[in-house]
Amino acid sequence: MKEKNKLVVIFLLIILITAIFSLIFIRFYNNKEKKEILIQEEISDQQNRFANVLLYFIDYQTGELETEYRLVDIKKLVNNPYEIIINMLIEGLKNVNYKKSIPNETTINKIEFKNRILEISFYAVIFENNKNEIHLIIDKTLKELLEVEKLIIK
């Protein structure tokens, strides 16, 4: 009788262990299948062509820096992201509560990136109005790019 009990217990243990491994295998297989589906969804052409760019502007009411996101085609950003982003700042904002600090007449003279330092020179018009405010806006916006550690504006 004791041997029958031992065999029944061993048989039940084998069934239990088999069931546990089966559940683990099923969960792993299902999770792997779900991840593959998610990856395929992430790689759609529409999603990969655009990136969010964070721009800084001054709020009229508070005088504080505020952010505005713009969706930009990545193909445009590849060649010269700094010029594209600065031109977006010059073009101005979408939110009417923010102040346009950089004059429309502002033009970029030269942009140079070396050793994680971005050097930008503008033609003189940029220095006529709100010099500190303009420097702050450009500095905060371009330092959102991970490769830019220091910004020099001339």
Side-chain angles (χ1 to χ4, degrees):
M1 187 75 165
K2 285 185 178 183
E3 291 212 18
K4 270 189 175 182
N5 287 342
K6 282 183 182 179
L7 286 174
V8 170
V9 170
I10 291 173
F11 181 73
L12 289 175
L13 282 174
I14 291 173
I15 291 175
L16 181 64
I17 292 171
T18 305
I20 290 172
F21 280 114
S22 297
L23 288 173
I24 291 171
F25 177 77
I26 290 170
R27 277 195 176 171
F28 175 78
Y29 183 77
N30 283 341
N31 284 342
K32 184 178 179 185
E33 192 173 306
K34 287 179 187 175
K35 286 179 186 173
E36 288 174 7
I37 291 170
L38 290 175
I39 290 171
Q40 288 174 354
E41 289 174 359
E42 289 175 10
I43 300 179
S44 72
D45 288 339
Q46 188 68 15
Q47 290 174 339
N48 271 345
R49 286 199 53 196
F50 293 94
N52 271 323
V53 174
L54 183 64
L55 304 175
Y56 284 86
F57 294 102
I58 303 290
D59 188 305
Y60 269 122
Q61 297 171 346
T62 64
E64 298 290 320
L65 274 179
E66 297 293 334
T67 57
E68 183 176 285
Y69 285 94
R70 299 270 178 89
L71 222 76
V72 181
D73 191 338
I74 290 176
K75 289 180 182 179
K76 291 181 180 180
L77 288 174
V78 169
N79 294 332
N80 194 347
Y82 316 113
E83 185 175 354
I84 299 293
I85 292 171
I86 292 169
N87 282 328
M88 286 193 303
L89 289 171
I90 293 169
E91 287 169 14
L93 42 125
K94 305 277 186 204
N95 189 329
V96 293
N97 295 324
Y98 297 164
K99 179 179 172 186
K100 180 171 173 34
S101 299
I102 304 175
N104 286 334
E105 304 81 36
T106 304
T107 53
I108 301 166
N109 182 24
K110 183 178 172 187
I111 298 175
E112 196 172 313
F113 183 73
K114 192 188 301 182
N115 299 328
R116 302 181 64 86
I117 298 172
L118 183 62
E119 190 173 313
I120 305 167
S121 65
F122 292 94
Y123 289 103
V125 72
I126 193 168
F127 297 105
E128 294 173 8
N129 300 320
N130 309 326
K131 180 179 177 179
N132 292 334
E133 190 175 284
I134 292 170
H135 281 234
L136 179 65
I137 290 168
I138 294 171
D139 185 71
K140 287 292 263 183
T141 299
L142 290 174
K143 282 188 178 172
E144 287 293 322
L145 301 171
L146 297 177
E147 68 268 17
V148 178
E149 282 184 6
K150 185 177 180 183
L151 183 70
I152 300 170
I153 299 174
K154 295 181 178 182

